[in-house]
Amino acid sequence: MVKNIVVLGGNSHPELVERICASLGLSPCNRILTKFSGGETRCEVQDSVRGKDVYIIQTGAGKVNDVLMDLLIMISALKTGSARRVTAVLPLFPYSRQPDVPYKKAGAPMSRVGPDSSVPPTPGPGIARSAGLDNGTDMSGLMSKASLGEGVNGSPVKKSAPNGINGSLSRPGTSGPGSPLTRTFTTHNYENPGLVSTFQAKPGYKQWVAQAGTLVADLLTCAGADHIITLDLHDSQYQGFFDVPVDNLYAKGLLQRYITLNIPNYKDAVIVSPDAGGAKRASAIADALGLSFSLIHKERRPTKITDRQSASMILVGDVSDRVCILIDDLIDTGNTIVRAAKLLKKEGATQVYALVTHGVLSGDAPDRIRNSCIDKLVTTNSVPQDENRAQLGQKLDVLDISQVIAEAIRRSHHGESLSALFAYN
Amino acid sequence: MSSGMANEIKLLSGSSHPELSQKVANRLGIEIARTTSLNYSNQETSVTIGESVRDEDVYILQSTAPGDVNDGLMELLIMIHACKTASARRITAVIPCYPYARQDKKDKSRAPISARLIANMLQTAGANHIITMDLHASQIQGFFNVPCDNLYAEPSVLRWIRENMNVEDCVIVSPDAGGAKRATSIADRLNASFALIHKERPRPNVVGRMVLIGEVRDKVAILVDDMSDTCGTLAKAAALLQANQAREIIAIATHGILSGNAIDTVNNSCLSQLVVTNTVPLGDKLERCPKMKVIDVSGTLAEAIRRTHNGESVSYLFTHVPDWD
């Protein structure tokens, strides 16, 4: 039982709030957190917080903008309610992954059209092992790269050039680059993402996507947060956006324990990072467990003129006849990790585990995972996993992160060092 | 207006009310800047900027679409922030209907003053100037450390009443004590009589007992308010006015948020007309509610933008409807 501490839960993950409170031996603060009929957030904190050390638990899942606004309003309410210190606990930090290219509401388009990655290619004699996964063989990957290319190639002259890839598939949502539409408009049309791909920048101007990272950090401090606790930030540098202390916890310990306890013969397994950005995270686990490490590299250099917008994946390292453990911080649409798993199987991996801290699985990601060559997806409950569990069944293992967060809250409240939580070994 | 010159008006439109943005742009004779926004599959908002705003005078128009208030707000903040990082000379947020305006005081323990939070957030994102219309409480202007111009729909409303009603027949009625000032101002300008309804409000979005103060018998009662949300108040006020033998009852509200069952409530009420402005997108509500009339305020917003850009006074707009036509 911890005294003088108040834990206030948002709407995003009630189960996690319950678990954290149970672990701390207290009951969550009574509050009303709903919406007025006009859509504005209504927040009333019903227990006194005067002079208390308050922790608000809200994760960036579901309707992220509502979640964020709820959090900001709660922080502000606590501050005006004379709380001594307000700590925002954000297991999944909203807007932390800042993609620099627009992508579609339903995840990557074309995921169910064309040859799916559901059938792992059988490696055999005569097939060049180190060929990598060429984009031309994977329609879903290709289409997502094609739409990705729009952002990369800002010049409308290039975009209006006839593109055989898009033409042959002729899907309204992705037929944009070839479309001659040049009208000026602003759209927010979720139902018709085709409008978005007809969006064109002014000639001579390279369009860019606004990065909300610093903004979200500034908003939290502006609302009055004194301290931020989060888990496996996509970019560690994000901590520098804040003027208040940020404690970035790691799920690494949990993932390592899972590997040692649940993967048979894990000593022979290979830790694989699905992209260069996550290499550090993955190699840290490989080092801690003494496992070998390999990396998937996204080759973005054009090989042919029609391949301009596509990228192929190349595996660095040897995985043949071994169990592969893919490590990443976040799985959202699941494209990267599914393609990585496919490449690993192609390169002769016997089994592919994917260990990911945040299992967002938005859009049709659960379908994509179910049909992929990933044998087991392991994630933490930093975002609600009930729906994913219902859809993926045995293919999904969920680790409980509440202990780590509860311990961080306890230590932070008592003014003890948190570094024991950072270094698990 | 020539393009390519620095420090022009750049009008960016949020996604909540493109029609209003287009009307304002037409009035100003400019094109809406090329931006687009969409939600990622994880429901984060993404804003793409398709033209340079460097050293320009940027105006970002975003209203509050009922239901998606938080989405619209985040989009606006991201757009402001994007323009700031893209070296805009000045960023003005044009917010016809200020969100969270009703949460403007700590009316009970630990209640959030969300209107102030929004003001702080807009400034944190990088807004240098705010243009809004008919703030629920004009004190909200004091939440800002940057200039905040609160425009009035009153001139447009007055013009509508003069053009559509027989002023001698009218009584201006305020549905609550808070709106008395707004209603008396209109009554004075029209030289019409005035009545007030006193109400008790036990919980938000719920209406309690009502008492009419003033005389409405055989008159056309015009209920005046700054916003009509669920319309529960308006319907009850209208019933009360009818019980007091008003000949006809119409309601005029600046912000037609009309959430929940508002349209049914209005259709089943004894209101003969509901007049709102187009500060808030109405969607299909016009078709669903034959009683509804719309006053266009894009002229006032456009003129405020033009005057702000040119460094002219906007106070003329507090009493006059700009003559664009």
Side-chain angles (χ1 to χ4, degrees), chain B residues 4-53:
Chain B
M5 294 262 292
N7 200 15
E8 301 271 347
I9 297 179
K10 278 273 177 194
L11 181 66
L12 274 64
S13 171
S15 56
S16 68
H17 202 349
E19 296 86 5
L20 183 62
S21 304
Q22 195 55 59
K23 278 187 174 155
V24 170
N26 291 347
R27 300 259 193 197
L28 292 170
I30 57 174
E31 281 194 355
I32 296 175
R34 296 189 190 189
T35 65
T36 185
S37 58
L38 74 161
N39 273 16
Y40 290 131
S41 56
N42 64 4
Q43 313 228 24
E44 288 179 1
T45 302
S46 145
V47 175
T48 309
I49 311 287
E51 69 182 77
S52 173
V53 296

Short mmCIF file of all heavy atoms in Angstrom, two decimals, chain B residues 4-53:
data_model
loop_
_atom_site.label_atom_id
_atom_site.label_comp_id
_atom_site.label_asym_id
_atom_site.label_seq_id
_atom_site.Cartn_x
_atom_site.Cartn_y
_atom_site.Cartn_z
N GLY B 4 3.42 33.77 -55.37
CA GLY B 4 4.86 33.74 -55.46
C GLY B 4 5.51 34.89 -54.72
O GLY B 4 6.67 34.81 -54.33
N MET B 5 4.73 35.95 -54.48
CA MET B 5 5.27 37.06 -53.70
C MET B 5 5.22 36.69 -52.22
O MET B 5 4.28 36.07 -51.77
CB MET B 5 4.43 38.32 -53.93
CG MET B 5 4.52 38.84 -55.33
SD MET B 5 5.70 40.17 -55.47
CE MET B 5 4.89 41.43 -54.52
N ALA B 6 6.20 37.11 -51.50
CA ALA B 6 6.22 36.79 -50.07
C ALA B 6 5.18 37.63 -49.33
O ALA B 6 4.77 38.69 -49.80
CB ALA B 6 7.60 37.03 -49.50
N ASN B 7 4.80 37.13 -48.18
CA ASN B 7 3.87 37.80 -47.30
C ASN B 7 2.52 38.09 -47.94
O ASN B 7 2.03 39.21 -47.93
CB ASN B 7 4.48 39.08 -46.73
CG ASN B 7 3.76 39.53 -45.48
OD1 ASN B 7 3.00 38.76 -44.90
ND2 ASN B 7 3.96 40.77 -45.10
N GLU B 8 1.96 37.09 -48.53
CA GLU B 8 0.59 37.16 -49.01
C GLU B 8 -0.29 36.47 -47.96
O GLU B 8 0.21 35.83 -47.04
CB GLU B 8 0.45 36.39 -50.32
CG GLU B 8 1.33 36.89 -51.44
CD GLU B 8 0.64 37.95 -52.23
OE1 GLU B 8 -0.59 38.11 -52.05
OE2 GLU B 8 1.31 38.64 -53.01
N ILE B 9 -1.60 36.57 -48.14
CA ILE B 9 -2.50 35.77 -47.31
C ILE B 9 -2.42 34.34 -47.81
O ILE B 9 -2.61 34.08 -49.00
CB ILE B 9 -3.96 36.26 -47.43
CG1 ILE B 9 -4.09 37.69 -46.91
CG2 ILE B 9 -4.89 35.33 -46.68
CD1 ILE B 9 -5.49 38.25 -47.01
N LYS B 10 -2.11 33.42 -46.91
CA LYS B 10 -2.20 32.00 -47.25
C LYS B 10 -3.33 31.45 -46.41
O LYS B 10 -3.25 31.47 -45.18
CB LYS B 10 -0.90 31.28 -46.86
CG LYS B 10 0.19 31.39 -47.84
CD LYS B 10 0.13 30.33 -48.91
CE LYS B 10 1.27 30.63 -49.86
NZ LYS B 10 1.20 29.93 -51.11
N LEU B 11 -4.35 30.98 -47.05
CA LEU B 11 -5.46 30.40 -46.31
C LEU B 11 -5.33 28.88 -46.35
O LEU B 11 -5.38 28.28 -47.41
CB LEU B 11 -6.80 30.85 -46.89
CG LEU B 11 -8.03 30.30 -46.17
CD1 LEU B 11 -8.13 30.85 -44.76
CD2 LEU B 11 -9.29 30.63 -46.95
N LEU B 12 -5.14 28.29 -45.18
CA LEU B 12 -5.12 26.83 -45.08
C LEU B 12 -6.45 26.41 -44.48
O LEU B 12 -7.01 27.10 -43.64
CB LEU B 12 -3.99 26.36 -44.16
CG LEU B 12 -2.60 26.18 -44.77
CD1 LEU B 12 -2.05 27.49 -45.27
CD2 LEU B 12 -1.65 25.56 -43.76
N SER B 13 -6.94 25.29 -44.94
CA SER B 13 -8.22 24.83 -44.43
C SER B 13 -8.05 23.53 -43.68
O SER B 13 -7.47 22.58 -44.20
CB SER B 13 -9.19 24.65 -45.59
OG SER B 13 -10.36 24.01 -45.13
N GLY B 14 -8.57 23.48 -42.49
CA GLY B 14 -8.68 22.20 -41.79
C GLY B 14 -9.77 21.40 -42.47
O GLY B 14 -10.47 21.90 -43.36
N SER B 15 -9.93 20.17 -42.06
CA SER B 15 -10.86 19.32 -42.80
C SER B 15 -12.28 19.42 -42.26
O SER B 15 -13.19 18.85 -42.84
CB SER B 15 -10.40 17.88 -42.71
OG SER B 15 -10.29 17.54 -41.36
N SER B 16 -12.49 20.15 -41.16
CA SER B 16 -13.81 20.06 -40.55
C SER B 16 -14.86 20.83 -41.33
O SER B 16 -16.03 20.48 -41.31
CB SER B 16 -13.75 20.56 -39.11
OG SER B 16 -13.49 21.94 -39.10
N HIS B 17 -14.49 21.89 -42.01
CA HIS B 17 -15.52 22.70 -42.65
C HIS B 17 -15.02 23.28 -43.97
O HIS B 17 -14.87 24.49 -44.12
CB HIS B 17 -15.93 23.84 -41.69
CG HIS B 17 -17.29 24.39 -41.97
ND1 HIS B 17 -18.00 24.09 -43.12
CD2 HIS B 17 -18.07 25.25 -41.27
CE1 HIS B 17 -19.15 24.74 -43.08
NE2 HIS B 17 -19.22 25.43 -41.97
N PRO B 18 -14.77 22.42 -44.95
CA PRO B 18 -14.20 22.90 -46.21
C PRO B 18 -15.11 23.89 -46.95
O PRO B 18 -14.61 24.79 -47.62
CB PRO B 18 -14.01 21.62 -47.03
CG PRO B 18 -14.75 20.55 -46.32
CD PRO B 18 -14.89 20.97 -44.90
N GLU B 19 -16.44 23.76 -46.78
CA GLU B 19 -17.34 24.67 -47.49
C GLU B 19 -17.11 26.11 -47.03
O GLU B 19 -17.04 27.02 -47.85
CB GLU B 19 -18.81 24.30 -47.25
CG GLU B 19 -19.24 22.95 -47.77
CD GLU B 19 -18.97 21.83 -46.79
OE1 GLU B 19 -18.54 22.13 -45.64
OE2 GLU B 19 -19.17 20.65 -47.14
N LEU B 20 -17.00 26.28 -45.72
CA LEU B 20 -16.79 27.62 -45.19
C LEU B 20 -15.45 28.17 -45.67
O LEU B 20 -15.36 29.34 -46.09
CB LEU B 20 -16.85 27.60 -43.66
CG LEU B 20 -16.72 28.96 -42.97
CD1 LEU B 20 -17.85 29.88 -43.36
CD2 LEU B 20 -16.68 28.79 -41.46
N SER B 21 -14.42 27.32 -45.65
CA SER B 21 -13.11 27.76 -46.11
C SER B 21 -13.18 28.21 -47.56
O SER B 21 -12.60 29.22 -47.94
CB SER B 21 -12.09 26.63 -45.99
OG SER B 21 -12.06 26.15 -44.69
N GLN B 22 -13.89 27.43 -48.37
CA GLN B 22 -14.00 27.76 -49.78
C GLN B 22 -14.70 29.10 -49.96
O GLN B 22 -14.31 29.93 -50.78
CB GLN B 22 -14.75 26.64 -50.52
CG GLN B 22 -14.62 26.69 -52.03
CD GLN B 22 -13.15 26.71 -52.48
OE1 GLN B 22 -12.39 25.80 -52.17
NE2 GLN B 22 -12.75 27.76 -53.19
N LYS B 23 -15.76 29.32 -49.17
CA LYS B 23 -16.49 30.59 -49.27
C LYS B 23 -15.58 31.75 -48.88
O LYS B 23 -15.58 32.79 -49.54
CB LYS B 23 -17.71 30.56 -48.34
CG LYS B 23 -18.88 29.84 -48.97
CD LYS B 23 -20.12 29.99 -48.11
CE LYS B 23 -21.31 29.37 -48.84
NZ LYS B 23 -22.36 28.95 -47.92
N VAL B 24 -14.82 31.57 -47.81
CA VAL B 24 -13.91 32.64 -47.38
C VAL B 24 -12.86 32.89 -48.46
O VAL B 24 -12.56 34.04 -48.81
CB VAL B 24 -13.25 32.26 -46.03
CG1 VAL B 24 -12.14 33.23 -45.68
CG2 VAL B 24 -14.29 32.25 -44.92
N ALA B 25 -12.33 31.80 -49.02
CA ALA B 25 -11.32 31.94 -50.07
C ALA B 25 -11.90 32.67 -51.28
O ALA B 25 -11.26 33.55 -51.86
CB ALA B 25 -10.79 30.57 -50.47
N ASN B 26 -13.14 32.33 -51.64
CA ASN B 26 -13.78 32.99 -52.78
C ASN B 26 -13.93 34.49 -52.51
O ASN B 26 -13.70 35.31 -53.39
CB ASN B 26 -15.14 32.38 -53.06
CG ASN B 26 -15.03 30.97 -53.61
OD1 ASN B 26 -13.94 30.54 -53.99
ND2 ASN B 26 -16.14 30.24 -53.61
N ARG B 27 -14.35 34.80 -51.29
CA ARG B 27 -14.51 36.21 -50.94
C ARG B 27 -13.19 36.96 -51.04
O ARG B 27 -13.15 38.12 -51.41
CB ARG B 27 -15.01 36.33 -49.50
CG ARG B 27 -16.33 35.67 -49.25
CD ARG B 27 -17.43 36.70 -49.24
NE ARG B 27 -18.65 36.12 -48.70
CZ ARG B 27 -19.83 36.68 -48.86
NH1 ARG B 27 -19.95 37.81 -49.52
NH2 ARG B 27 -20.91 36.12 -48.35
N LEU B 28 -12.11 36.28 -50.64
CA LEU B 28 -10.79 36.92 -50.66
C LEU B 28 -10.15 36.86 -52.04
O LEU B 28 -9.11 37.47 -52.28
CB LEU B 28 -9.86 36.24 -49.64
CG LEU B 28 -10.21 36.44 -48.16
CD1 LEU B 28 -9.37 35.53 -47.29
CD2 LEU B 28 -9.97 37.89 -47.76
N GLY B 29 -10.77 36.08 -52.93
CA GLY B 29 -10.21 35.93 -54.27
C GLY B 29 -8.90 35.19 -54.30
O GLY B 29 -8.02 35.48 -55.10
N ILE B 30 -8.74 34.25 -53.41
CA ILE B 30 -7.51 33.46 -53.39
C ILE B 30 -7.85 31.98 -53.43
O ILE B 30 -9.01 31.60 -53.27
CB ILE B 30 -6.65 33.74 -52.13
CG1 ILE B 30 -7.47 33.46 -50.87
CG2 ILE B 30 -6.13 35.15 -52.14
CD1 ILE B 30 -6.68 33.56 -49.59
N GLU B 31 -6.84 31.17 -53.64
CA GLU B 31 -7.03 29.73 -53.60
C GLU B 31 -6.63 29.22 -52.22
O GLU B 31 -5.70 29.75 -51.61
CB GLU B 31 -6.16 29.05 -54.65
CG GLU B 31 -6.74 29.12 -56.04
CD GLU B 31 -6.04 28.16 -56.99
OE1 GLU B 31 -5.06 27.51 -56.57
OE2 GLU B 31 -6.50 28.07 -58.14
N ILE B 32 -7.32 28.17 -51.79
CA ILE B 32 -6.92 27.53 -50.53
C ILE B 32 -5.58 26.84 -50.76
O ILE B 32 -5.37 26.21 -51.80
CB ILE B 32 -7.99 26.51 -50.09
CG1 ILE B 32 -9.30 27.24 -49.79
CG2 ILE B 32 -7.52 25.74 -48.87
CD1 ILE B 32 -10.44 26.33 -49.46
N ALA B 33 -4.68 27.01 -49.81
CA ALA B 33 -3.35 26.40 -49.94
C ALA B 33 -3.48 24.88 -50.01
O ALA B 33 -4.41 24.30 -49.47
CB ALA B 33 -2.47 26.80 -48.77
N ARG B 34 -2.52 24.28 -50.67
CA ARG B 34 -2.58 22.83 -50.87
C ARG B 34 -2.09 22.10 -49.64
O ARG B 34 -0.88 21.98 -49.41
CB ARG B 34 -1.75 22.44 -52.08
CG ARG B 34 -2.31 23.02 -53.35
CD ARG B 34 -1.61 22.47 -54.55
NE ARG B 34 -2.01 23.23 -55.73
CZ ARG B 34 -1.69 22.87 -56.95
NH1 ARG B 34 -0.99 21.78 -57.16
NH2 ARG B 34 -2.08 23.60 -57.97
N THR B 35 -3.01 21.63 -48.88
CA THR B 35 -2.67 20.76 -47.76
C THR B 35 -3.69 19.63 -47.76
O THR B 35 -4.77 19.77 -48.33
CB THR B 35 -2.77 21.47 -46.39
OG1 THR B 35 -4.13 21.82 -46.17
CG2 THR B 35 -1.93 22.72 -46.35
N THR B 36 -3.33 18.56 -47.15
CA THR B 36 -4.30 17.48 -47.02
C THR B 36 -4.06 16.80 -45.69
O THR B 36 -2.96 16.83 -45.16
CB THR B 36 -4.20 16.48 -48.19
OG1 THR B 36 -5.25 15.54 -48.07
CG2 THR B 36 -2.89 15.76 -48.19
N SER B 37 -5.12 16.23 -45.15
CA SER B 37 -4.93 15.53 -43.89
C SER B 37 -5.75 14.26 -43.90
O SER B 37 -6.82 14.20 -44.49
CB SER B 37 -5.33 16.41 -42.72
OG SER B 37 -6.67 16.78 -42.86
N LEU B 38 -5.21 13.27 -43.27
CA LEU B 38 -5.94 12.01 -43.16
C LEU B 38 -5.50 11.31 -41.88
O LEU B 38 -4.52 11.71 -41.26
CB LEU B 38 -5.70 11.12 -44.37
CG LEU B 38 -4.36 10.42 -44.50
CD1 LEU B 38 -4.48 9.25 -45.47
CD2 LEU B 38 -3.32 11.37 -45.02
N ASN B 39 -6.26 10.33 -41.51
CA ASN B 39 -5.89 9.56 -40.33
C ASN B 39 -5.12 8.33 -40.75
O ASN B 39 -5.51 7.64 -41.68
CB ASN B 39 -7.14 9.13 -39.57
CG ASN B 39 -7.57 10.18 -38.59
OD1 ASN B 39 -7.16 11.33 -38.66
ND2 ASN B 39 -8.41 9.79 -37.66
N TYR B 40 -4.04 8.06 -40.06
CA TYR B 40 -3.37 6.79 -40.24
C TYR B 40 -4.28 5.68 -39.73
O TYR B 40 -5.23 5.93 -39.01
CB TYR B 40 -2.06 6.76 -39.45
CG TYR B 40 -0.99 7.66 -39.98
CD1 TYR B 40 -0.31 8.51 -39.14
CD2 TYR B 40 -0.65 7.65 -41.32
CE1 TYR B 40 0.69 9.33 -39.62
CE2 TYR B 40 0.35 8.46 -41.80
CZ TYR B 40 1.01 9.30 -40.95
OH TYR B 40 2.00 10.10 -41.42
N SER B 41 -3.92 4.45 -40.05
CA SER B 41 -4.75 3.35 -39.59
C SER B 41 -4.72 3.25 -38.07
O SER B 41 -5.64 2.73 -37.47
CB SER B 41 -4.29 2.04 -40.22
OG SER B 41 -2.93 1.84 -39.92
N ASN B 42 -3.68 3.76 -37.43
CA ASN B 42 -3.67 3.76 -35.96
C ASN B 42 -4.36 5.00 -35.41
O ASN B 42 -4.21 5.33 -34.24
CB ASN B 42 -2.24 3.64 -35.44
CG ASN B 42 -1.38 4.82 -35.83
OD1 ASN B 42 -1.86 5.78 -36.42
ND2 ASN B 42 -0.13 4.76 -35.51
N GLN B 43 -5.07 5.72 -36.28
CA GLN B 43 -5.92 6.85 -35.92
C GLN B 43 -5.15 8.10 -35.53
O GLN B 43 -5.73 9.05 -35.01
CB GLN B 43 -6.89 6.49 -34.78
CG GLN B 43 -7.57 5.18 -35.02
CD GLN B 43 -9.05 5.26 -34.81
OE1 GLN B 43 -9.66 6.32 -34.91
NE2 GLN B 43 -9.69 4.14 -34.53
N GLU B 44 -3.86 8.13 -35.80
CA GLU B 44 -3.13 9.38 -35.64
C GLU B 44 -3.38 10.23 -36.88
O GLU B 44 -3.54 9.71 -37.97
CB GLU B 44 -1.63 9.11 -35.45
CG GLU B 44 -1.31 8.51 -34.10
CD GLU B 44 0.16 8.20 -33.92
OE1 GLU B 44 0.95 8.48 -34.82
OE2 GLU B 44 0.51 7.67 -32.85
N THR B 45 -3.40 11.54 -36.67
CA THR B 45 -3.67 12.44 -37.78
C THR B 45 -2.38 12.78 -38.50
O THR B 45 -1.36 13.01 -37.86
CB THR B 45 -4.32 13.73 -37.24
OG1 THR B 45 -5.50 13.37 -36.55
CG2 THR B 45 -4.67 14.68 -38.36
N SER B 46 -2.45 12.80 -39.80
CA SER B 46 -1.29 13.16 -40.59
C SER B 46 -1.65 14.32 -41.50
O SER B 46 -2.66 14.29 -42.18
CB SER B 46 -0.86 11.94 -41.42
OG SER B 46 -0.37 12.34 -42.66
N VAL B 47 -0.84 15.35 -41.47
CA VAL B 47 -1.09 16.52 -42.30
C VAL B 47 0.04 16.65 -43.31
O VAL B 47 1.21 16.60 -42.94
CB VAL B 47 -1.17 17.80 -41.43
CG1 VAL B 47 -1.30 19.03 -42.30
CG2 VAL B 47 -2.33 17.71 -40.46
N THR B 48 -0.31 16.76 -44.57
CA THR B 48 0.69 16.94 -45.62
C THR B 48 0.60 18.36 -46.15
O THR B 48 -0.49 18.85 -46.46
CB THR B 48 0.43 15.95 -46.78
OG1 THR B 48 0.31 14.65 -46.24
CG2 THR B 48 1.57 15.98 -47.78
N ILE B 49 1.72 19.02 -46.21
CA ILE B 49 1.76 20.39 -46.71
C ILE B 49 2.31 20.35 -48.12
O ILE B 49 3.37 19.77 -48.36
CB ILE B 49 2.67 21.27 -45.83
CG1 ILE B 49 2.34 21.12 -44.35
CG2 ILE B 49 2.62 22.73 -46.27
CD1 ILE B 49 1.07 21.74 -43.89
N GLY B 50 1.59 20.96 -49.05
CA GLY B 50 1.97 20.87 -50.46
C GLY B 50 2.41 22.18 -51.07
O GLY B 50 2.56 22.25 -52.29
N GLU B 51 2.59 23.21 -50.28
CA GLU B 51 3.17 24.43 -50.86
C GLU B 51 3.85 25.25 -49.78
O GLU B 51 3.60 25.07 -48.58
CB GLU B 51 2.11 25.25 -51.60
CG GLU B 51 1.06 25.90 -50.74
CD GLU B 51 0.05 26.64 -51.61
OE1 GLU B 51 -0.80 25.95 -52.21
OE2 GLU B 51 0.12 27.87 -51.71
N SER B 52 4.70 26.13 -50.24
CA SER B 52 5.54 26.88 -49.32
C SER B 52 4.72 27.90 -48.54
O SER B 52 3.84 28.56 -49.09
CB SER B 52 6.64 27.59 -50.09
OG SER B 52 7.36 28.45 -49.23
N VAL B 53 5.00 28.02 -47.25
CA VAL B 53 4.38 29.07 -46.44
C VAL B 53 5.46 29.99 -45.88
O VAL B 53 5.17 30.84 -45.06
CB VAL B 53 3.54 28.48 -45.28
CG1 VAL B 53 2.38 27.69 -45.80
CG2 VAL B 53 4.38 27.63 -44.36
#
